């Protein structure tokens, strides 16, 4: 069964350092999402791609976060510099498209980030 | 604005039935999802409702009333493995074109006791 791949699974970094996460969606999925989830809360959408284009990054802290999906397939999320408050689970998800019947999102295992 | 409310925690007994409610306020409504999330794991899809009524899938059922901005997830014949967080998420249109995104609730942590 096809899965969303993410790496690394765990990352510990010191504040002010740079950190990057990678996501490979299910083959053929046009829409890719990056979420941040703090323990005990629901996922918060950071950025949404349709193919290689950003369709929503309204909640992305653009002074320190950046995301790209250059060829419309895999994607990278970067934080520079990392802050203590960035400690969270970073989830990547993908869906076939944005139409009602193709909108089910499939999640990767996530990257748990700890900033010290 | 967009708002989703669901209870923070619930407890139930193995073999029983539990109903988890979700109320929402949103513009451009385009369906409601329920996801299950076990501790330390990613969310997994349970159900999707876009029309009013009940959708049944095995031990799990989901109900939607668009006029009331209300949904519930019904879990029957509870098992210990059902202990998890249950997330309600509403899909809504935004911007121009066919763009849609999910607004997520905070989740309901369900504990199933023997």
């Amino acid at each position: 069964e096809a899965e969303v791949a993410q790496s690394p699974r765990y990352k510990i970094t010191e504040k002010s350092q740079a950190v990057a996460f990678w996501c490979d969606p299910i083959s053929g999925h046009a829409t890719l999402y990056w979420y941040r989830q703090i323990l005990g809360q629901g996922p918060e959408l950071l950025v949404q791609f349709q193919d290689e284009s950003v369709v929503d990054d309204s909640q992305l802290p653009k002074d320190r976060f950046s995301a790209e999906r250059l060829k419309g397939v895999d994607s990278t999320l970067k934080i520079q510099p990392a802050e203590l408050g960035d400690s969270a689970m970073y989830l990547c998800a993908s869906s076939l498209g944005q139409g009602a019947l193709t909108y089910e999102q499939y999640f990767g295992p996530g990257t748990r980030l700890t900033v010290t | 604005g967009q708002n989703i409310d669901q209870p923070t925690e619930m407890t139930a007994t193995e073999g029983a039935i539990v109903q988890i409610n979700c109320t929402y306020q949103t513009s451009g409504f385009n369906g409601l999802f329920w996801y299950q999330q076990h501790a330390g794991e990613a969310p997994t899809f349970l159900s999707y409702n876009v029309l009013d009524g009940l959708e049944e899938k095995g031990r799990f059922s989901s109900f939607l009333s668009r006029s009331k901005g209300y949904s519930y997830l019904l879990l029957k014949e509870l098992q210990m493995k059902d202990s998890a967080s249950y997330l309600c998420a509403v899909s809504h249109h935004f911007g121009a074109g066919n763009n849609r995104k999910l607004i997520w609730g905070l989740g309901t942590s369900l504990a199933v006791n023997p």
Side-chain angles (χ1 to χ4, degrees):
Chain A
E1 182 176 315
E3 296 181 340
V4 176
Q6 284 188 252
S7 66
R9 291 292 306 277
Y10 304 91
K11 180 70 178 179
I12 300 174
T13 191
E14 295 181 347
K15 63 180 180 180
S16 80
Q17 296 298 305
V19 63
F21 313 128
W22 176 79
C23 173
D24 192 13
I26 293 172
S27 178
H29 280 197
T31 314
L32 185 147
Y33 317 80
W34 281 104
Y35 289 97
R36 176 171 59 187
Q37 187 175 27
I38 296 170
L39 193 63
Q41 297 185 18
E44 173 194 15
L45 181 67
L46 293 175
V47 61
Q48 179 174 328
F49 290 93
Q50 181 67 28
D51 299 310
E52 68 278 5
S53 300
V54 173
V55 296
D56 184 33
D57 63 356
S58 56
Q59 300 302 311
L60 188 71
K62 298 180 186 64
D63 56 334
R64 298 185 300 109
F65 286 63
S66 64
E68 61 183 17
R69 193 185 184 199
L70 294 176
K71 297 182 179 179
V73 181
D74 60 336
S75 175
T76 302
L77 178 70
K78 296 179 181 177
I79 308 175
Q80 182 173 16
E83 297 180 352
L84 295 176
D86 296 331
S87 295
M89 176 76 87
Y90 290 82
L91 294 164
C92 178
S94 69
S95 64
L96 274 174
Q98 297 186 69
L101 296 180
T102 60
Y103 194 55
E104 177 185 338
Q105 295 184 21
Y106 296 81
F107 284 82
T111 297
R112 180 160 297 283
L113 173 67
T114 302
V115 182
T116 62
Chain B
Q2 326 289 342
N3 191 50
I4 297 177
D5 288 311
Q6 51 181 130
T8 304
E9 296 180 339
M10 297 184 72
T11 59
T13 304
E14 193 175 14
I17 299 173
V18 69
Q19 177 175 312
I20 303 174
N21 296 325
C22 171
T23 58
Y24 63 89
Q25 293 177 306
T26 186
S27 57
F29 177 82
N30 191 50
L32 186 144
F33 291 79
W34 284 97
Y35 278 78
Q36 180 191 60
Q37 186 175 26
H38 286 99
E41 298 182 10
T44 56
F45 170 80
L46 288 178
S47 68
Y48 172 65
N49 294 68
V50 66
L51 299 177
D52 290 351
L54 187 68
E55 295 280 343
E56 297 186 81
K57 187 186 297 184
R59 295 189 298 113
F60 293 3
S61 302
S62 56
F63 171 84
L64 176 66
S65 169
R66 289 172 296 172
S67 63
K68 296 181 179 179
Y70 169 69
S71 173
Y72 68 73
L73 179 69
L74 192 70
L75 291 74
K76 303 176 184 177
E77 302 171 13
L78 281 172
Q79 302 175 10
M80 299 295 288
K81 67 178 182 179
D82 297 329
S83 293
S85 180
Y86 291 85
L87 297 157
C88 173
V90 172
S91 174
H92 79 111
H93 288 281
F94 69 96
N98 196 33
N99 293 323
R100 311 167 192 213
K101 68 178 180 181
L102 293 184
I103 305 298
W104 295 79
L106 296 181
T108 298
S109 179
L110 174 66
V112 180
N113 299 318

